[in-house]
Amino acid sequence: MGRRAFIKTGLAAASLAGLGSALGAGTAGAAQPRIDLTPGAFKPIPIAITDLLGEPEIGRNISGVITADLRRSGLFAPIDPKAFVEQITNPDTPRFQDWRVINAQALLTGRVTRQADGRFQVVFRLWDVFAGQQLAAQQFVAQPDNWRRIAHIIADAIYEKMTGEKGYFDTRIVFVDESGPKERRVKRLAIMDQDGANVSYLSRGDGLVLTPRFSPTSQEITYMSYGAGDPKVFLLNIETGQREIVGNFPGMSFSPRFAPDGQRVIMSLQQGGNSNIFVMDLRSRATTRLTDTAAIDTAPCYSPDGRQICFESDRGGTSQIYVMNADGSGARRISFGNARYSTPVWSPKGDWIAFTRQGDGRFAIGVMRTDGSGERVLTEGYHNEGPTFAPNGRVIMFFRDPGGASGPSLYSVDVTGYNEQRVPTPSYASDPAWSPLRS
């Protein structure tokens, strides 16, 4: 279900009287708290998140997910409820002096009301404690089983109000679930919420699946599967379960990924000992070749505006990152460190390209500017690979395999290299891909 199907933006005028306005609007003249995202400068902002009143269980659950989302971002420091001085009885009139005492800079209050048709109405208010003013308010009407999405959307609203950037909590991750002993590993396509909840499986595990990627415009993913015969590139509609083959290609195909318009898929196709990059129009199924070299060109990814493509190539002798125009012209190398570079992916904001770097027996996940300058390693380990950006470009998810008899796990890290965290999955997991914000 999309956001528009169950969200009513803003609150009724009567309930907002004297308390500010709808989500995204603050009180005129108020100096609201704002998180400074400058690397090395920001400190997590203390925020008090109270249990939503009305329906105790669902209100407590929603507040718990909001708390977990904000804490996991590393930008917020939710205050332990045991420290609360005031026990909220009216979410519209908190006693600000009681929240200033515990140094809360922001406060969340709200209420859950069961309607006659069985749906819930959820209202939240975000307060600037020191100014004693409302920063934002919004209401939602939804079926009870959508409570987790409501929590993520509220967390996104708080994140945006306090940082000035879009949140990323109401998103999903598609990944390869790996189970069983290492020599007989079963790999299934799986999807979950970005916090690890609501895991479901999209394939049965009777064929090898690799490199799932989300469409930027629809609830579709593209991925590669090894079944009987050559590997094939598939399209899968997550909502309907409809699956179709993008095309049958001679030789091997690798790393399919959508163009920003969602109407094309770019991939590499192996022909003999080399591979080149091709793009396919999903409507006409016409294929256009973009590179023509005796090297291995693979892992292509469009810039957000669709005008450029970054990719991996060994045309210079070792695996490095290149950028070319969308028509395949003007290829230029942008990585020059003393290492091998692979799996480049363009940030949704267009400012960074993330990559895997291998050298001296170590794997690193890093970012560089689109001209190759400003290279920065975010995290290192035995085997880190496969970076994918959150839709706001602030966080990167990747997988790490420690080797031995164990298997890979998913991790996330801020683009500043701060706040690395393991992402919970039911079993081993690899090849994550982050969805856009759900619509």
Side-chain angles (χ1 to χ4, degrees), residues 3 14 20 27 43 65 99 110 134 142 194 280 300 314 341 364 406 410 439:
R3 291 191 185 203
T27 303
K43 294 181 179 179
V65 170
W99 301 99
Q134 178 177 282
Q194 54 78 30
M280 170 178 275
D314 67 354
Y341 292 77
S406 63
L410 304 187
S439 59

Side-chain angles (χ1 to χ4, degrees), residues 17 80 87 92 95 135 159 169 201 245 265 294 311 327 383:
D80 188 338
Q87 299 304 310
D92 302 333
R95 296 195 305 268
L135 292 173
Y159 185 102
F169 304 117
Y201 296 95
I245 297 174
V265 169
F311 64 101
D327 63 0
H383 188 167

Side-chain angles (χ1 to χ4, degrees), residues 7-266:
I7 299 174
K8 295 181 178 178
T9 305
L11 298 174
S15 68
L16 279 178
L19 290 174
S21 55
L23 176 65
T27 303
Q32 71 179 68
R34 178 63 66 90
I35 297 173
D36 182 358
L37 297 179
T38 305
F42 83 88
K43 294 181 179 179
I45 191 167
I47 183 171
I49 301 170
T50 65
D51 289 346
L52 275 57
L53 303 179
E55 294 285 336
E57 182 177 1
I58 194 168
R60 185 166 54 250
N61 290 342
I62 289 173
S63 296
V65 170
I66 295 169
T67 299
D69 279 348
L70 296 180
R71 177 181 288 116
R72 199 169 51 253
S73 76
L75 304 182
F76 297 83
I79 297 171
D80 188 338
K82 294 177 182 178
F84 293 176
V85 175
E86 179 188 13
Q87 299 304 310
I88 294 291
T89 57
N90 184 347
D92 302 333
T93 57
R95 296 195 305 268
F96 293 109
Q97 65 271 23
D98 290 346
W99 301 99
R100 295 181 189 122
V101 167
I102 62 173
N103 197 38
Q105 294 187 36
L107 168 68
L108 177 77
T109 64
R111 184 183 301 276
V112 181
T113 306
R114 189 184 298 270
Q115 298 190 319
D117 61 3
R119 294 184 300 168
F120 286 116
Q121 180 192 63
V122 180
V123 177
F124 85 89
R125 296 178 185 272
L126 179 65
W127 305 91
D128 178 343
V129 171
F130 290 99
Q133 301 286 351
Q134 178 177 282
L135 292 173
Q138 198 168 17
Q139 75 171 2
F140 312 84
V141 177
Q143 297 295 337
D145 59 359
N146 274 318
W147 68 267
R148 290 192 68 91
R149 277 208 66 198
I150 292 177
H152 291 316
I153 293 168
I154 293 174
D156 280 336
I158 296 169
Y159 185 102
E160 182 172 2
K161 193 65 182 178
M162 305 298 288
T163 69
E165 295 185 352
K166 289 285 188 182
Y168 57 89
F169 304 117
D170 186 32
T171 56
R172 295 187 286 187
I173 305 294
V174 63
F175 63 101
V176 176
D177 176 270
E178 302 190 18
S179 59
K182 189 154 191 170
E183 63 276 9
R184 296 190 307 276
R185 195 64 51 83
V186 176
K187 296 190 176 186
R188 293 185 292 174
L189 202 60
I191 190 170
M192 65 183 182
D193 295 349
Q194 54 78 30
D195 60 353
N198 294 327
V199 177
S200 61
Y201 296 95
L202 305 175
S203 69
R204 296 187 300 270
D206 49 1
L208 180 64
V209 290
L210 294 170
T211 60
R213 300 291 181 260
F214 262 99
S215 167
T217 60
S218 64
Q219 294 301 308
E220 284 188 313
I221 60 173
T222 179
Y223 65 97
M224 189 174 69
S225 178
Y226 285 82
D230 291 333
K232 295 179 174 62
V233 176
F234 284 85
L235 288 180
L236 171 64
N237 186 299
I238 297 170
E239 302 298 334
T240 66
Q242 181 178 351
R243 193 183 318 260
E244 62 177 308
I245 297 174
V246 172
N248 290 306
F249 307 103
M252 304 276 283
S253 53
F254 300 96
S255 307
R257 192 184 291 270
F258 283 96
D261 61 8
Q263 299 299 314
R264 293 164 292 158
V265 169
I266 192 169

